[in-house]
C-alpha cells in the first residue's frame, strides 16, 4: 500500500512541476484518487495538489512531497531536526501501529552534524543504539526506543547532507 501511495504522490508531484495549471491539477487529483482507490480495493483516497507540493491521504496513512511537506502527525519529536523540513514524509497505520518514513536534504550541512544532532536527541529520549556503522560522509544507525525502532541512513551529496529516517512503532 505504501509503495502505491508513494508512487502516486511522486507522479502527481511530477505533473504539478510541469506547470499544467489549476484545471489540470484538479483533473490530475481526480485521476490519482481514482487510481489509488482502484488499487486499494475501494479504500478512500484524497489527493491534494498545489504549486508547491502534493499529498495523498488514505484510510490507513498519508504521504506528502514538496516544499510544504511537514513531519507527519505522531512522528516522534526526538527525530525532528530544528529548522529542517522534510522533502518527503509518509505515515502508514496498519494494525494499530504506525510506520513513518521521512527524507530530508539540508544544504551546507554534513552527515556528522545532522546525525550527531539526532543521536543526542535519541539518547536524551532514553533510546539505545543498536547499530552504528559510520564513516566520513555516511552513516547507518539504529536505535531501540520505548515507543519503537528508529533507523537513519545518511550520506553527503556534494555540499549537502541527505537523510532517510524511519520509525516503526511497537
Amino acid at each position: 500500500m505504501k509503495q502505491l501511495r508513494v508512487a502516486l504522490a511522486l507522479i502527481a508531484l511530477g505533473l504539478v512541476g510541469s506547470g499544467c495549471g489549476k484545471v489540470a491539477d484538479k483533473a490530475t487529483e481526480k485521476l490519482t484518487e481514482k487510481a489509488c482507490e482502484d488499487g486499494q480495493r475501494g479504500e478512500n483516497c484524497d489527493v491534494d495538489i498545489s504549486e508547491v507540493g502534493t499529498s495523498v491521504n488514505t484510510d490507513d496513512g498519508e504521504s506528502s512531497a514538496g516544499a510544504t511537506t511537514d513531519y507527519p502527525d505522531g512522528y516522534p519529536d526526538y527525530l525532528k531536526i530544528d529548522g529542517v523540513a522534510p522533502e518527503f514524509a509518509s505515515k502508514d497505520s496498519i494494525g494499530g501501529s504506525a510506520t513513518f518514513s521521512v527524507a530530508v536534504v539540508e544544504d551546507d550541512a554534513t552527515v556528522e552534524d545532522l546525525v550527531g544532532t539526532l543521536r543526542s536527541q535519541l539518547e536524551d529520549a532514553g533510546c539505545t543504539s543498536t547499530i552504528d556503522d559510520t564513516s566520513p560522509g555516511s552513516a547507518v544507525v539504529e536505535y531501540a526506543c520505548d515507543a519503537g525502532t528508529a533507523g537513519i541512513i545518511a550520506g553527503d551529496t556534494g555540499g549537502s547532507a541527505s537523510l532517510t529516517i524511519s520509525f516503526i512503532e511497537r
Side-chain angles (χ1 to χ4, degrees):
M1 282 186 264
K2 179 179 174 184
Q3 292 85 0
L4 177 62
R5 265 200 311 282
V6 170
L8 292 172
L10 294 175
I11 289 167
L13 184 60
L15 292 171
V16 168
S18 67
C20 296
K22 290 188 184 278
V23 172
D25 288 350
K26 282 296 173 196
T28 301
E29 282 181 14
K30 293 299 177 195
L31 288 171
T32 306
E33 286 172 356
K34 178 72 174 136
C36 179
E37 290 168 358
D38 289 348
Q40 300 301 320
R41 290 169 243 153
E43 181 176 319
N44 290 322
C45 189
D46 180 45
V47 177
D48 182 35
I49 298 173
S50 70
E51 293 177 3
V52 293
T54 185
S55 65
V56 178
N57 293 293
T58 65
D59 292 337
D60 65 1
E62 59 191 73
S63 295
S64 61
T68 60
T69 299
D70 199 0
Y71 294 98
D73 290 339
Y75 187 78
D77 287 339
Y78 50 81
L79 287 174
K80 297 176 182 176
I81 303 171
D82 281 342
V84 178
E87 302 274 329
F88 171 82
S90 72
K91 174 184 178 182
D92 284 304
S93 301
I94 299 171
S97 64
T99 300
F100 300 91
S101 181
V102 170
V104 298
V105 177
E106 184 66 8
D107 293 333
D108 301 320
T110 66
V111 165
E112 290 79 8
D113 291 341
L114 296 181
V115 173
T117 296
L118 288 172
R119 276 191 179 116
S120 294
Q121 293 173 184
L122 284 156
E123 290 167 4
D124 289 349
C127 302
T128 305
S129 176
T130 56
I131 296 173
D132 190 339
D133 185 7
T134 306
S135 60
S138 67
V140 176
V141 297
E142 182 180 271
Y143 278 80
C145 307
D146 288 341
T149 302
I152 303 164
I153 299 172
D156 282 333
T157 56
S160 59
S162 175
L163 283 75
T164 300
I165 307 163
S166 61
F167 186 77
I168 302 170
E169 287 183 341
R170 294 193 197 283

